[in-house]
Structure formats: structure tokens, C-alpha cells
Amino acid sequence: MTVLRGRAGRGQGDAVRDDPLDAAQERRVRAVLALGGVPQADLPDGVQQVRLRLLERTASGRGAPRDVSAWAAVVASHLAMDWHRARRRQDRLGERLAALRQSEHPSGEDTSLLSLAVARGLDELPDAQRQVLVLRFYADLPVRGIAEELGIPEGTVKSRLHTAVRALRARLHEDEVV
């Protein structure tokens, strides 16, 4: 694993050095998973799945991806989509509404309403549109990077982004949030 991180030598803290994801990459993976709708309690498992897939990839002889951070974000978005397929959407929405009612932050009420509306809008998007939207705006990948990682043409990425943004904007206007 030291090859993945470009570190050499052994000593104290080898467990940290052998981690295929650095702290910034782990935060990015957590963010992609969270924005994909994965509950906070399941985020550590999602991060571990990304690590496992990276270790399996290198163990199979394919080596480390060219851009580990982008690769990890794409894998995380796939995991989030898998999670969506395994859970019913109505259950997640109910949990978010219950959490919103429990928090008593009147000054952040507008922000909370906007966050909830965006989350609901993301839930309503088709998986392919949600994936490119999250990778572009939340994982901050360029269109070319998304296209390369997903193995689709850049034009398809742009088209999905355009359609997803338009649908999300319409939803926010419909809910009178913006």
C-alpha cells in the first residue's frame, strides 16, 4: 500500500501510512456518500467499501487508478446508488423530516428548508442524473473527469447535468424555496 500513497519506509504509524485513502480523499468519499443519501451511521461502512475496492483493484494487478481521489468519488457515488436501490425512498424522507423537526435552530430555518428541498429534489432525479450532479457539484469533478471515470461521452455528461439542474431548479421553484 505504500506504493499507492508514494510513501516509503516503515515505522510508527504504519497502519495510517498503509491506508490507501488520505484524509482529504476520505472526506470527499464521505461527502459523496452523504450527498447520495447514505445515512451518517452507514458512512464508515461506505468508506471501508471504497478502501476495499481500491485494495482489491491493486491486488488484482491493475494497479492504482491514475487519479485515486476521482476514482474513489465515482466508486462512492456507485455505492450511494446501490444504497438507494436497497432502501425505500419514503423511509429516508421520513427520517429527514423527523430530524428537521427535532432541531431547534430558528436562525437556520431557511437553510434547513433549502437543504431539505434540495435533498428531496435529488431523491426524485433518475440515478444517472443524480450521479453526474453529485460528482460535478459536490465532488467537484470536471466534466471530462466524470466522463472518463463513468466511461461515457462528455456530451452525455453535459446533457445529464443540464437535465438534472433544470429538473432540480423547477422543483425548488415549485416548492417556493427559491
Side-chain angles (χ1 to χ4, degrees):
M1 277 305 97
T2 55
V3 172
L4 286 176
R5 299 282 305 280
R7 297 181 186 206
R10 307 290 268 168
Q12 192 173 8
D14 283 336
V16 173
R17 285 187 182 165
D18 289 346
D19 189 346
L21 298 176
D22 64 26
Q25 292 164 339
E26 182 175 335
R27 283 191 304 275
R28 189 177 200 184
V29 166
R30 283 179 173 276
V32 169
L33 290 170
L35 290 166
V38 177
Q40 290 289 331
D42 293 340
L43 292 181
D45 291 337
V47 172
Q48 286 300 90
Q49 283 292 321
V50 172
R51 281 190 178 104
L52 178 63
R53 290 185 186 183
L54 183 56
L55 291 170
E56 288 172 343
R57 177 186 168 105
T58 55
S60 71
R62 290 187 292 172
R66 186 172 29 125
D67 183 351
V68 174
S69 186
W71 180 90
V74 170
V75 170
S77 74
H78 286 284
L79 289 172
M81 286 185 356
D82 291 345
W83 187 90
H84 273 280
R85 290 183 188 113
R87 304 287 191 273
R88 294 181 328 175
R89 290 181 178 168
Q90 291 302 321
D91 291 342
R92 289 190 326 274
L93 181 57
E95 290 171 6
R96 286 190 205 129
L97 288 172
L100 181 63
R101 288 186 188 123
Q102 290 175 356
S103 69
E104 296 183 17
H105 300 287
S107 62
E109 186 173 325
D110 291 338
T111 304
S112 296
L113 290 175
L114 179 60
S115 296
L116 180 62
V118 169
R120 286 175 46 196
L122 284 172
D123 283 347
E124 292 174 1
L125 291 174
D127 289 341
Q129 290 177 7
R130 182 182 326 104
Q131 183 181 33
V132 296
L133 192 76
V134 168
L135 289 173
R136 176 64 188 107
F137 296 110
Y138 294 103
D140 201 28
L141 289 179
V143 170
R144 178 174 292 179
I146 295 169
E148 289 174 1
E149 292 298 327
L150 296 179
I152 59 177
E154 286 184 46
T156 302
V157 173
K158 291 176 184 178
S159 173
R160 288 180 185 173
L161 278 172
H162 175 76
T163 305
V165 168
R166 188 175 60 209
L168 190 56
R169 182 179 297 128
R171 173 60 191 233
L172 294 177
H173 284 293
E174 179 182 302
D175 289 347
E176 298 179 355
V177 178
V178 292

